[in-house]
Amino acid sequence: SAVISQKPSRDICQRGTSLTIQCQVDSQVTMMFWYRQQPGQSLTLIATANQGSEATYESGFVIDKFPISRPNLTFSTLTVSNMSPEDSSIYLCSVELRAAQYFGPGTRLTVT
Amino acid sequence: GENVEQHPSTLSVQEGDSAVIKCTYSDSASNYFPWYKQELGKRPQLIIDIRSNVGEKKDQRIAVTLNKTAKHFSLHITETQPEDSAVYFCAASINTGGFKTIFGAGTRLFVKA
């Protein structure tokens, strides 16, 4: 499996501000994904980020709100922009490695 | 698009009993079916997976079965232990060229000692 780290692990932010979450992998991977998990809920895919191309967003998620960078094969960032309390959630990065999918530890975001 | 339904939402068993979680999927193009275990406050952990060319796979106390015709797949845990208590997610993925995974709603498993 892959070793995946995320920073920060948690944060408390004020509404209207932005937070950038970093995801680092110990292997070179083509596909990286960003998910959101509300408390007690399942995992919802925000977007797929492949190195060298624009991220592909799922229905209900837009680039202006969740801009993503993918500068190389081991790193990605997700920004949550102009935050509101509804953005409070756990954000997880994920990678595809050898035809299986693995998750980072998540970033717990609270917006006040 | 793909839709994955998972049942039951909550399952309580006595230690040593078996637990079965069932999922159905809608997209016949799905060809990869992973199962994840998520303990409180932790990341989803891949525990077993099955691909569409296989009907059953076993790893110690955990087994997964797949019925492609009926679009059903199930997770079986035998001889349950308290440390099996967690939320389990099934998922269906189309893994050809791209890779897109849709998750079930999850099953909260309680194993009573």
Side-chain angles (χ1 to χ4, degrees):
Chain A
S1 65
V3 175
I4 307 168
S5 61
Q6 283 184 237
K7 287 194 293 187
S9 58
R10 59 179 62 224
D11 207 341
I12 301 172
C13 302
Q14 291 193 344
R15 70 171 67 211
T17 63
S18 297
L19 176 72
T20 296
I21 303 168
Q22 299 179 7
C23 179
Q24 181 77 50
V25 191
D26 70 338
S27 304
Q28 293 187 335
V29 295
T30 301
M31 284 185 277
M32 294 181 77
F33 312 90
W34 287 97
Y35 285 82
R36 184 169 73 182
Q37 187 175 31
Q38 307 277 19
Q41 302 295 313
S42 186
L43 299 127
T44 301
L45 180 63
I46 297 171
T48 301
N50 293 341
Q51 195 271 335
S53 62
E54 295 290 321
T56 303
Y57 289 83
E58 297 300 306
S59 177
F61 299 96
V62 295
I63 187 170
D64 289 347
K65 176 68 175 177
F66 298 101
I68 288 171
S69 78
R70 184 77 205 275
N72 58 51
L73 290 172
T74 62
F75 187 79
S76 178
T77 67
L78 170 76
T79 299
V80 186
S81 304
N82 188 24
M83 288 184 284
S84 66
E86 293 72 39
D87 295 320
S88 296
S89 189
I90 297 172
Y91 292 86
L92 299 112
C93 72
S94 176
V95 305
E96 182 269 335
L97 183 65
R98 287 186 285 277
Q101 189 170 358
Y102 303 94
F103 285 86
T107 295
R108 182 180 294 271
L109 171 62
T110 302
V111 183
T112 61
Chain B
E2 176 67 279
N3 183 51
V4 178
E5 295 193 359
Q6 182 171 349
H7 300 281
S9 57
T10 305
L11 178 60
S12 184
V13 300
Q14 204 67 36
E15 181 178 4
D17 288 349
S18 295
V20 180
I21 302 170
K22 298 183 178 182
C23 291
T24 61
Y25 62 99
S26 61
D27 192 337
S28 57
S30 293
N31 56 4
Y32 173 63
F33 306 91
W35 286 86
Y36 291 85
K37 174 184 180 182
Q38 188 174 33
E39 296 174 275
L40 189 63
K42 298 196 174 178
R43 76 184 78 192
Q45 179 189 2
L46 178 66
I47 56 171
I48 195 168
D49 56 15
I50 190 167
R51 300 183 194 274
S52 59
N53 58 346
V54 175
E56 184 174 357
K57 183 177 179 180
K58 192 172 182 180
D59 182 5
Q60 299 183 348
R61 297 186 297 109
I62 294 173
V64 59
T65 59
L66 171 65
N67 182 329
K68 285 192 299 180
T69 303
K71 297 181 190 167
H72 289 174
F73 57 115
S74 301
L75 178 71
H76 304 251
I77 306 174
T78 59
E79 300 172 27
T80 54
Q81 302 166 2
E83 50 265 38
D84 294 329
S85 296
V87 179
Y88 291 80
F89 293 100
C90 66
S93 180
I94 298 174
N95 184 9
T96 48
F99 197 99
K100 183 169 180 178
T101 304
I102 303 299
F103 287 81
T107 296
R108 188 172 297 275
L109 173 64
F110 297 96
V111 180
K112 296 176 286 187

